[in-house]
């Protein structure tokens, strides 16, 4: 079953973190995350991105793959997401997705 967690505060507040733990059904440390910050940025993917992997690391999630949708074909995107247990899309302007 696919699960979706929508939050306006990301994973900074205690309630979304608790919801993530509940939805994950496994320890957060074992999650393999695809971090897609593309909607958050109008410029290069590196601008302002530094705090997002740190946020996940603070939760014990160390297996992180940053994916820039602007750089991926549908085929390579499928390959890069295939082994991920969580897709974390950072908010922003949905026109960038």
């Amino acid at each position: 079953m696919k699960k979706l967690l929508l939050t306006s505060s990301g994973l900074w507040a205690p309630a979304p973190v608790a919801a993530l733990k509940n939805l994950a059904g496994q320890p957060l440390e074992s999650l393999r995350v695809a971090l897609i910050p593309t909607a958050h940025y109008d410029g290069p993917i590196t601008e302002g991105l530094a705090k997002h992997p740190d946020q996940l690391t603070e939760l014990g999630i160390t297996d992180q793959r940053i994916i820039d949708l602007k750089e991926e074909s549908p085929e390579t995107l499928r390959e890069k997401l295939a082994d991920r247990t969580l897709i974390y899309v950072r908010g922003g302007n949905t026109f960038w997705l």
Side-chain angles (χ1 to χ4, degrees):
M1 173 195 324
K2 306 286 184 200
K3 299 176 184 178
L4 177 65
L5 172 62
L6 297 175
T7 170
S8 62
S9 64
L11 295 173
W12 297 107
V17 171
L20 175 62
K21 289 177 180 178
N22 184 46
L23 285 173
Q26 63 190 68
L28 294 183
E29 298 82 18
S30 66
L31 294 175
R32 295 180 312 277
V33 177
L35 174 57
I36 302 177
T38 310
H40 197 68
Y41 303 101
D42 190 353
I45 201 70
T46 55
E47 290 181 16
L49 181 60
K51 68 181 178 183
H52 303 304
D54 290 344
Q55 179 186 26
L56 296 172
T57 302
E58 287 175 12
L59 295 174
I61 302 170
T62 57
D63 187 348
Q64 304 170 34
R65 179 179 297 154
I66 298 171
I67 299 174
D68 184 350
L69 295 181
K70 294 181 262 181
E71 302 294 324
E72 304 297 336
S73 70
E75 295 78 23
T76 60
L77 182 59
R78 248 184 246 100
E79 290 172 12
K80 289 185 176 186
L81 294 177
D83 69 335
R84 303 288 94 187
T85 55
L86 174 69
I87 300 171
Y88 182 38
V89 180
R90 288 293 302 167
N93 186 344
T94 55
F95 287 114
W96 292 111
L97 289 177

